[in-house]
Amino acid sequence: MPFDDQSTLTDDILIVRFANGDADAARVLTERHAPRTLGYAYRLVGDRAEAEDIAQDAMLRLWKIAPDWRPGEAQISTWLYRVVTNLCTDRLRKRRGVGLDEAPEIEDGAKSAEDQLQDQARAQALETALQQLPDRQRQAVVLRHIEGMRNPEIAAVMDLSVEAVESLTARGKRALAGILSGKREELGYENDK
């Protein structure tokens, strides 16, 4: 089947095809999942190069388990988020001594220089605030409010109940609000209510 025709196939069909030697199926799965996997990893570890390593490792693990994948038991996206969560947790445990100021500034799209600086300050403040949250709260908040996942999906990724996810997300949002509350004017939100 040509590469273009595979883009409409489900993940389960694509992984079975990859396990049977179809390299185009792997390309479609990679295009579908690698960007979000990378984004999620970056938001958890705060380092682009480390996030790229984690995302690549997660995709490699997917390719290794492809022959044993059982369609219908789990979604590939949920499985990947779980693997990335575990890899990030391992990396964060190893580098507890690294300072938050070492996180790189986030670049944005083609806006005016002033808007770019404002957006960078806001993004950096959010990244810095996220890094101050306990690991599980940060994971829940990032998955829910940045990655846009629903609570049942987050529960599957984090191996928790939906109620526990709701609690972690609520506590994380309150903690973020507290961390960022004194910075409204500095971040250009003085006129927002």
Side-chain angles (χ1 to χ4, degrees):
M1 175 177 275
F3 175 69
D4 293 338
D5 295 336
Q6 291 197 40
S7 63
T8 59
L9 297 177
T10 67
D11 288 347
D12 283 339
I13 292 171
L14 289 169
I15 199 154
V16 169
R17 286 186 177 204
F18 169 73
N20 291 324
D22 185 347
D24 287 335
R27 280 190 213 102
V28 173
L29 281 170
T30 300
E31 286 179 357
R32 196 175 284 176
H33 295 286
R36 291 188 67 117
T37 301
L38 173 61
Y40 177 55
Y42 176 70
R43 287 182 182 95
L44 292 184
V45 297
D47 179 275
R48 183 77 175 179
E50 201 168 9
E52 288 172 357
D53 289 345
I54 290 167
Q56 184 177 24
D57 190 8
M59 294 306 291
L60 287 172
R61 289 179 186 210
L62 178 63
W63 304 141
K64 286 180 184 176
I65 62 105
D68 300 321
W69 187 264
R70 292 185 294 224
E73 284 192 17
Q75 293 181 12
I76 288 176
S77 60
T78 302
W79 185 89
L80 280 169
Y81 277 118
R82 181 106 187 239
V83 169
V84 169
T85 299
N86 291 338
L87 290 170
C88 289
T89 299
D90 291 345
R91 297 259 179 135
L92 291 170
R93 284 182 184 145
K94 289 178 184 174
R95 68 168 185 166
R96 286 288 182 207
V98 175
L100 294 175
D101 294 333
E102 296 173 19
E105 292 208 22
I106 298 174
E107 297 178 21
D108 200 7
K111 296 183 178 183
S112 71
E114 184 179 338
D115 287 342
Q116 286 182 18
L117 289 172
Q118 186 71 58
D119 288 347
Q120 287 176 350
R122 289 174 178 175
Q124 188 61 45
L126 177 60
E127 293 297 330
T128 301
L130 281 169
Q131 295 304 317
Q132 294 177 42
L133 295 179
D135 292 343
R136 303 294 273 178
Q137 284 181 17
R138 180 174 57 251
Q139 291 167 2
V141 169
V142 167
L143 287 170
R144 180 70 181 107
H145 296 288
I146 296 176
E147 294 299 321
M149 293 179 73
R150 297 182 332 231
N151 287 345
E153 294 172 309
I154 298 168
V157 169
M158 296 182 70
D159 196 25
L160 297 171
S161 68
V162 173
E163 294 79 16
V165 168
E166 290 170 352
S167 175
L168 281 171
T169 304
R171 288 193 325 256
K173 283 174 50 180
R174 280 193 303 273
L176 280 175
I179 293 167
L180 296 171
S181 66
K183 299 183 180 196
R184 289 183 62 79
E185 187 174 336
E186 173 187 337
L187 296 174
Y189 292 115
E190 65 276 358
N191 294 327
D192 296 349
K193 301 263 174 169

